Each structure stands twice: as structure tokens, then as C-alpha cells.
Amino acid sequence: MAQSVFFATSEVYPFSKSGGLGDVMGALPLAMQQSGQPAAVISPFYGRVSTGNYQIRLTISDLPVGYPWAPITADIYEADYHGVPLYFIARGEYFDRRFYYNDHKGDYFDNAERFIFFCRAAIALMERLGEPPAVVHAHDWQTALLPAYIHFLRPFHPFWRQTATMFTIHNLAFQGRFSSRLFDSCGLPPEAWNMDGVEYYGDFNLLKSGIAYADAVTTVSPSYAREILTEKFGCGLDGMLRKRELHLYGVLNGADYVVWDPASDPFLPANYSLDNIAGKRICKKKLIEELGLLPRLEKRPLLGFIGRLRGQKGIDLLNSIIPELMEMDVGVVVLGEGNPVHEARILELMENYQGRVAAVVGYTEDLAHRMQAGSDIFLMPSRYEPCGLTQMYALRYGTPPVATAVGGLRDTIEPWPGEQATGFIFGDSSPKDFLQAIKEAVFLWTESPEAWRAMTYRAMRQAFTWTKSCAEYSEIYRKIRLRL
Ligand code: ADP
Ligand code: GLC
């Protein structure tokens, strides 16, 4: 039996999810295992972890972790996720909380301690399991210390000698930047504290440790992999990334079409597919009812937005053009939560344009599915987008996106006009360009129903499979293992 790839992640759907990372980690390890590469996942055991139908059981008690004080331990719970072992690291005071990383007052004050503890516990767990992993594949800042730990363990600890490390950046803007004093007891040697290591303008930067010490660094689309080498998209780490350019890859995410398929989606009032699209109309009608919009909007384009209400997603651009959209007599539906300023603004717009704008501020998994199906046009005016999964889902649900020409959006949407068009792309994150692109989409929807239908069908035929992404990851795993 081949050795396993161990995925370390702070979210794994359906057990935990706050965004795309959860979706990816719910699908990639399984796809990897199905491709013949044994996989395992290590994730925190949050208080709100949804146990679903998976029997989660305690398998290791009191595993010594030794951080942040000597006798501290973790309990390990285990679930069998369709054949992939999932290890949950439990320590009540760190993870048994209502939210993952922050509450309404801001980031949890002890996030560094929580995730240093998590990474140290993951190392202790893998050692306890007894067989060195083939690859440890860490994701985002929460697990970025793992490549650094393994890098420094390798010369002294035979267990780690044959384990390669990969670090995937899902969002460069979230870096896990903390005070330098937290470095002291984290377990890395003093030589890691330098500008080519974890030090960043005098602070301890966890994401940087992944970039500095992983055998390969990847991000979630080819375009974003190029963009982050520039000052504009580099979030202050472009210099560091350029140093690692030879070992930096862009691997496009897949979409999980088991969870996101209008033909079988259990959250929809009616299912539909390329063979029988009629159900999409019902989904639109029911969505209009559910959100209390005017029934006459059934005959007008319905524009949907789903995402974190943050600058990244361009919700402010959308908010700023809603008055103009109203003149075009379209409906707008928004689902998201995030910055209180954007939340308040969209709720105010809903009040101003009753029956034509509906906003649900909160996180509602099932409504996200119904909005993908019930909207005609999907809005994604992101300022940057490492990959973006919602536009992939929108394509599959026959809801052509209007999106900015950045990152994964460029890599997944064929722009109109063009024979292969699946959506609308605009160049600059300006309200004017966004509005213009929406106008084109609305014009096509109203004036050329045939062309619109053809675009919808093309969109639904797009397949961003995990099989393809797994093949690319496997090839990189192979290369980095050869270099060990
Ligand atoms: P990101 O990870 O940057 O937030 P992605 O497009 O990769 O963006 O993934 C977002 C995921 O989170 C999708 O599954 C989307 O449906 C989901 N999502 C985002 N906001 C909400 C919300 N308010 N309610 C339900 N699901 C949401
Ligand atoms: C991040 C990115 C998003 C990406 C997701 C999964 O949250 O913002 O673009 O799709 O991770 O990789």
C-alpha cells in the first residue's frame, strides 16, 4: 500500500466550512484517494463541527503536544469519510467555539496559539500513526507552519526524511500575522527568524512560513499564480513569492458536482439538467416567492450575488450601482455576511427598493443552492479571486456569470462575445465597467433569447473536474519527492 498524502486544513465540508476552502477540502482528498493515491485529512474539532451521518469516534486520548506549555495534550477523533480517514484534533478551549476564526468583535485574540497548537498536534499525530506520510499538503496560514516544522525536523528525525511538503495558498490576503513574541515558543529554531523565513517587518507571519519552507507552493488557479508575483496582487509577499517562483504552480480547483448539480440537488424545489431545463423556471418562481420579490420579476432578469461581503468580492461595487440596475427593471438577490458597513448598505437598499432587491445577511448553505438555480445572471465583481467556486457552480446551474477579469474567474469563464462564451467579463474593478457588462448580459437575455439559451447550455456543459486537478497535484508530488 502506497504511503498517504496528509491534507492539513482548518475547514473540511461537510464538517466545517466558512467558504471555498471547506468545499475544496471536502472534495480534493476524496478525489485523490479515488485516483489511487491514499489520502487522509487532519482538521480541528470545532464545537460546531457537524457530525452528519458520519460516526465520529475518539481514537486517541491525551496525545502529548507540548505547546504552549509542557504537559498539554490533544484528543483525536476519527471519522471515515467515504474511505478517507479524517482526523479531528480536539482541545476544547481552542476549538470548541461558536465560530472558526472570529466573532462579531473581530479575530479571536488567541488565533496564533490555536493554530500553532493545531500544527504541533498534527505533527505529533502523524508520528503517533507510525507511518511517514508521502506528502504533507498544508492549506492557508492556519496550517502553514507544517512545512516549516518538517523542513527543520528532516535532518534530525529519520521519520520525516522521506516526507515532501506542499503548501497551497487559497487567499494571499489572509496571512496570520502576529507579534514576534509568539515565535519564541512555537518550536521553530532561531534560524527561521529572518527575512527569508517567517519574519515579516518584525512580525511573525505564518503564511510566509509555508511559502518559505514548503517543497512546492501552489495556488488555486494559473492566473492567480502569475498575479501574486506582482505588487498589485502580491499583498506584500510578491518579493518572497518571486524567490520561490521556480517552485510555484497554479492548479485550478475543481467543483464538486456531487454536491453542486441541479439534476440531483436536494435543496432545490425542482431539479433540472441539460436534457430538461424546465425546472430552472420553477426554481426562479419559488426563489422570488421565498425572498418576497414582486411576481412580475419572473419575466425579468434576476441577478444573484453570493459571497462574503468584503472588499475582495466587490460587494461595494454592486451596492453602488443598484439604483441604475433598478432603472433597468431587474431583480437583485444577495446572500452574504461580512463587513457591517456593506451589510447595512444592502439592507438599506432592500428597504428602498422593496420587492425588487432582496438581501439575506447570514450564512445559509441551502439558500446558496436555491439562489444559484433561481437566478438568471450571477454577479461576481471580485477585485481579486484566487479561484472562485461560486462562478463554477453558477455555470453548472445555467446562470451565466458577470465577473471581473481576475484570477480564477479569467480561467473559468469564456467571455462574451465569442462562439464559446459562457459569461461576461469586465476589465477593471470599476462600477462603470461592471454596470456596462451587466447591461450587455441583460440585453442578451431580453433581446436574444436563443443566444441566451445557447450560452446557458454551454455554461452547463463546463466541467471543472477534480480528476484533472488531482493529476496535476500528483505530478508535482512526484517531482518534489524525487528531490528529497
Ligand atoms: P471564498 O472562498 O473566497 O469565499 P469561493 O467562491 O471559493 O469564495 O467559495 C465560497 C463558498 O462559500 C461557496 O460554496 C459559496 O456558496 C459559499 N458561501 C459564501 N457565502 C455564503 C453565504 N452567505 N451563505 C451560504 N454559502 C455561502
Ligand atoms: C479562497 C479564495 C477563493 C477560492 C477558495 C478555494 O477562499 O478566495 O477564490 O476559490 O479559497 O480555493
Side-chain angles (χ1 to χ4, degrees):
M1 171 95 163
Q3 289 167 285
S4 293
V5 171
F6 270 76
F7 293 91
T9 172
S10 59
E11 297 177 24
V12 52
Y13 182 83
F15 304 94
S16 54
K17 163 175 169 180
S18 79
L21 175 67
D23 283 357
V24 166
M25 298 315 301
L28 166 62
L30 202 59
M32 201 52 99
Q33 175 120 323
Q34 282 159 358
S35 78
Q37 166 60 63
V41 180
I42 307 182
S43 200
F45 193 63
Y46 298 107
R48 56 182 285 196
V49 87
S50 78
T51 47
N53 299 323
Y54 305 91
Q55 275 143 16
I56 301 187
R57 56 193 198 287
L58 179 68
T59 52
I60 303 175
S61 306
D62 299 325
L63 176 74
V65 175
Y67 172 89
W69 67 86
I72 195 172
T73 60
D75 288 338
I76 308 297
Y77 287 78
E78 205 177 321
D80 180 340
Y81 184 58
H82 307 286
V84 174
L86 231 148
Y87 300 97
F88 291 104
I89 291 180
R91 175 101 206 159
E93 73 264 34
Y94 287 139
F95 302 120
D96 193 357
R97 298 186 186 177
R98 173 119 188 264
F99 302 102
Y100 302 119
Y101 317 116
N102 56 273
D103 60 17
H104 64 280
K105 288 181 288 201
D107 288 347
Y108 288 134
F109 75 97
D110 56 352
N111 272 349
E113 193 175 306
R114 296 169 75 214
F115 288 101
I116 295 171
F117 173 84
F118 174 77
C119 291
R120 304 263 316 207
I123 291 282
L125 169 64
M126 289 183 276
E127 289 176 357
R128 171 69 72 89
L129 293 173
E131 194 193 7
V135 177
V136 170
H137 188 164
H139 298 261
D140 275 353
W141 71 264
Q142 294 89 343
T143 61
L145 279 173
L146 280 166
Y149 287 142
I150 294 169
H151 172 88
F152 287 104
L153 280 167
R154 256 187 221 146
F156 307 103
H157 200 327
F159 181 87
W160 292 107
R161 215 154 275 163
Q162 291 304 314
T163 299
T165 58
M166 183 184 278
F167 178 56
T168 296
I169 301 167
H170 294 261
N171 194 334
L172 193 60
F174 298 98
Q175 299 186 359
R177 188 172 165 177
F178 302 101
S179 152
S180 59
R181 82 188 152 70
L182 289 156
F183 174 77
D184 297 340
S185 54
C186 84
L188 287 177
E191 66 253 43
W193 190 261
N194 70 74
M195 58 182 281
D196 290 326
V198 304
E199 187 266 345
Y200 184 77
Y201 294 101
D203 285 342
F204 184 18
N205 186 316
L206 298 194
L207 188 95
K208 192 162 172 256
S209 76
I211 299 173
Y213 295 111
D215 297 314
V217 178
T218 74
T219 186
V220 285
S221 70
S223 287
Y224 192 60
R226 285 189 296 274
E227 288 168 356
I228 56 178
L229 298 173
T230 66
E231 205 184 325
K232 181 171 176 200
F233 292 100
C235 299
L237 287 175
D238 44 301
M240 184 68 195
L241 284 159
R242 284 194 297 273
K243 286 186 193 161
R244 301 260 18 228
E245 196 174 346
L246 281 177
H247 304 288
L248 174 68
Y249 303 83
V251 178
L252 190 71
N253 283 333
D256 187 343
Y257 295 121
V258 174
V259 180
W260 295 94
D261 178 4
S264 56
D265 191 329
F267 297 123
L268 304 188
N271 290 111
Y272 59 93
S273 65
L274 272 170
D275 297 331
N276 185 359
I277 192 101
K280 186 162 172 71
R281 215 168 240 289
I282 303 174
C283 290
K284 179 173 176 184
K285 183 175 178 345
K286 294 280 179 196
L287 183 68
I288 285 174
E289 281 168 22
E290 178 177 353
L291 297 179
L293 294 177
L294 298 170
R296 72 171 173 75
L297 284 175
E298 266 181 64
K299 301 222 157 41
R300 296 293 303 159
L302 189 59
L303 280 44
F305 175 102
I306 303 166
R308 289 178 286 111
L309 303 185
R310 303 246 158 233
Q312 174 192 349
K313 301 289 176 186
I315 177 64
D316 50 318
L317 297 184
L318 173 59
N319 284 346
S320 72
I321 61 167
I322 281 184
E324 279 96 334
L325 294 180
M326 292 298 101
E327 283 167 24
M328 290 157 58
D329 194 22
V330 299
V332 176
V333 292
V334 172
L335 168 63
E337 61 182 356
N339 184 329
V341 174
H342 301 318
E343 290 181 353
R345 179 69 187 138
I346 187 64
L347 290 174
E348 189 185 8
L349 287 160
M350 175 160 85
E351 198 59 36
N352 293 350
Y353 299 107
Q354 277 179 22
R356 294 192 290 154
V357 173
V360 176
V361 169
Y363 196 94
T364 324
E365 192 72 29
D366 54 331
L367 180 57
H369 288 245
R370 285 194 295 281
M371 280 182 48
Q372 289 280 7
S375 307
D376 296 299
I377 298 170
F378 191 76
L379 304 178
M380 208 152 169
S382 307
R383 290 194 163 78
Y384 69 94
E385 197 59 75
C387 177
L389 298 172
T390 44
Q391 85 282 7
M392 293 186 189
Y393 305 152
L395 291 167
R396 180 49 64 106
Y397 281 65
T399 312
V402 175
T404 335
V406 291
L409 301 176
R410 294 166 69 145
D411 296 346
T412 52
I413 302 167
E414 281 293 329
W416 172 264
E419 300 235 314
Q420 298 308 316
T422 55
F424 301 80
I425 294 282
F426 61 100
D428 199 16
S429 290
S430 75
K432 192 167 134 279
D433 289 3
F434 184 31
L435 183 62
Q436 184 53 36
I438 295 178
K439 277 187 179 158
E440 279 172 37
V442 169
F443 184 79
L444 198 69
W445 190 95
T446 38
E447 304 303 320
S448 309
E450 275 309 312
W452 186 264
R453 196 164 313 125
M455 184 189 281
T456 305
Y457 282 25
R458 271 194 304 275
M460 291 177 76
R461 274 196 291 268
Q462 302 299 305
F464 302 99
T465 66
W466 274 110
T467 319
K468 181 167 179 286
S469 322
C470 280
E472 291 177 35
Y473 280 126
S474 295
E475 178 53 20
I476 310 171
Y477 294 158
R478 195 185 62 78
K479 278 194 199 148
I480 55 181
R481 295 204 72 209
L482 280 178
R483 288 209 312 268
L484 285 176

